[in-house]
Amino acid sequence: MAITAAILCLFFAAMNDLLFRAFARKPRSRGLFVSMVGMIWFGISLAGINLHPQWGPTLFWGCISGFFSAAGNLLLLESMTGLEAGVGSTLYRLNLVPAVLGAALLLGEKISLQQWLGIVLALGAVLAFFPWEEKREPADRSRAGWKIAFAMGVTASLMRAAMGLSYRYGFLHGADRTMVVAIDALFWIFGGILYARLREKSLVRPEKKVIGYSLLSGVFVTGIVVTMALSLQYGQASVVLPIAQMSFLLTAILGVFFLREKLGMRKLLALAAGTAAILLLSI
């Protein structure tokens, strides 16, 4: 059950990253998209919500994790305006690096020799993706240059790590899991609306394609949350988390077939280093 759930989580995450990239290739409202995804997510999360949590820690850590979750995914969407799906997905999934370092500093967890090696490999994967040359490849940069998009991707990864650490710390201090997830969805809803109004300077009726993307992404995001919870309930984190984090490999492969993205030697080496890093960081 645990391995099956982790593989399903990998699939949902890969498909959602690919969908993010497909959505970001054209000038559409990222804010409204995130808001509608949050609505679907919130509606589904109501089915299993705990109405009698410890409200203090639940609200506090729900708001902190909700901010990092919504802001991180908005940045991921913006970064994919200028990054290929495989690149953006890999940067985002390497959030295990700051998560491991944060766990050592904030939670007192020890970093093993294998994990230090994983951190080095992860940094190597990120550096391999960095646009050292000024060559303008590929295509669509209507809203940001490659380097700005890269910085957004790295920042999104840091925010994802902060969200994970706030989950871990919050749950250890009495925050209710079901209610925290629902609060996160609310941050997507209202954070997306706020982003559309302030950043995009518009709050118009979404196009049919935006609604379609949102419905599909809402299903994928809910699938990620549910299968991750199942995999952690029935299996060891050190086994199921690396499987789920491998989604960037499938995203990169799907990007080649469906979005006609290139898969050069440097990207292959970066993907291999990222895979090794995630395995070592999870030991």
Side-chain angles (χ1 to χ4, degrees):
M1 165 66 92
I3 299 298
T4 301
I7 292 173
L8 286 173
C9 185
L10 180 156
F11 172 77
F12 285 131
M15 294 301 294
N16 196 56
D17 286 347
L18 188 72
L19 187 146
F20 268 27
R21 168 59 178 162
F23 178 88
R25 292 201 302 175
K26 292 186 178 181
R28 305 182 179 103
S29 174
R30 278 77 167 145
L32 289 179
F33 171 71
V34 166
S35 182
M36 286 187 286
V37 171
M39 291 176 190
I40 298 164
W41 178 7
F42 181 74
I44 297 174
S45 70
L46 289 177
I49 203 169
N50 175 17
L51 296 177
H52 303 286
Q54 295 185 42
W55 284 108
T58 297
L59 286 174
F60 182 77
W61 292 106
C63 289
I64 289 177
S65 63
F67 169 78
F68 286 127
S69 176
N73 278 275
L74 280 166
L75 277 173
L76 178 62
L77 262 176
E78 289 289 3
S79 73
M80 285 189 173
T81 302
L83 297 179
E84 293 183 350
V87 177
S89 179
T90 302
L91 290 178
Y92 193 62
R93 300 304 162 191
L94 288 177
N95 64 76
L96 273 180
V97 176
V100 168
L101 294 174
L105 293 172
L106 302 175
L107 303 175
E109 297 182 6
K110 294 183 179 180
I111 301 178
S112 66
L113 179 61
Q114 291 93 335
Q115 288 174 317
W116 279 117
L117 180 58
I119 290 172
V120 172
L121 285 172
L123 291 175
V126 172
L127 291 174
F129 278 134
F130 188 79
W132 298 103
E133 300 176 1
E134 292 298 325
K135 182 181 178 181
R136 296 174 63 87
E137 55 171 6
D140 42 335
R141 307 164 189 275
S142 57
R143 301 190 58 184
W146 216 100
K147 292 182 180 179
I148 294 175
F150 186 89
M152 286 181 176
V154 172
T155 305
S157 180
L158 292 173
M159 287 193 167
R160 175 62 179 81
M163 186 198 78
L165 288 171
S166 63
Y167 270 3
R168 172 72 171 161
Y169 196 87
F171 295 155
L172 288 174
H173 290 78
D176 180 78
R177 289 172 176 79
T178 61
M179 187 63 78
V180 165
V181 168
I183 293 172
D184 284 2
L186 288 174
F187 267 78
W188 278 51
I189 295 172
F190 295 107
I193 292 173
L194 191 64
Y195 188 84
R197 185 70 184 91
L198 299 180
R199 170 68 174 84
E200 298 171 335
K201 304 297 182 183
S202 66
L203 192 58
V204 296
R205 185 177 179 180
E207 303 172 3
K208 289 183 179 179
K209 283 191 176 182
V210 175
I211 296 174
Y213 274 114
S214 302
L215 289 172
L216 193 55
S217 183
V219 172
F220 289 149
V221 169
T222 304
I224 292 169
V225 173
V226 171
T227 53
M228 178 62 74
L230 283 173
S231 67
L232 289 171
Q233 181 178 355
Y234 295 107
Q236 295 181 350
S238 61
V239 175
V240 299
L241 285 178
I243 295 174
Q245 293 283 30
M246 294 296 178
S247 62
F248 67 85
L249 291 172
L250 181 56
T251 302
I253 294 170
L254 292 173
V256 172
F257 285 100
F258 292 103
L259 302 179
R260 298 181 180 179
E261 296 179 348
K262 296 179 180 179
L263 192 63
M265 181 57 66
R266 190 171 70 167
K267 188 186 292 187
L268 285 171
L269 290 174
L271 290 172
T275 303
I278 287 174
L279 289 173
L280 289 168
L281 285 168
S282 302
I283 292 176

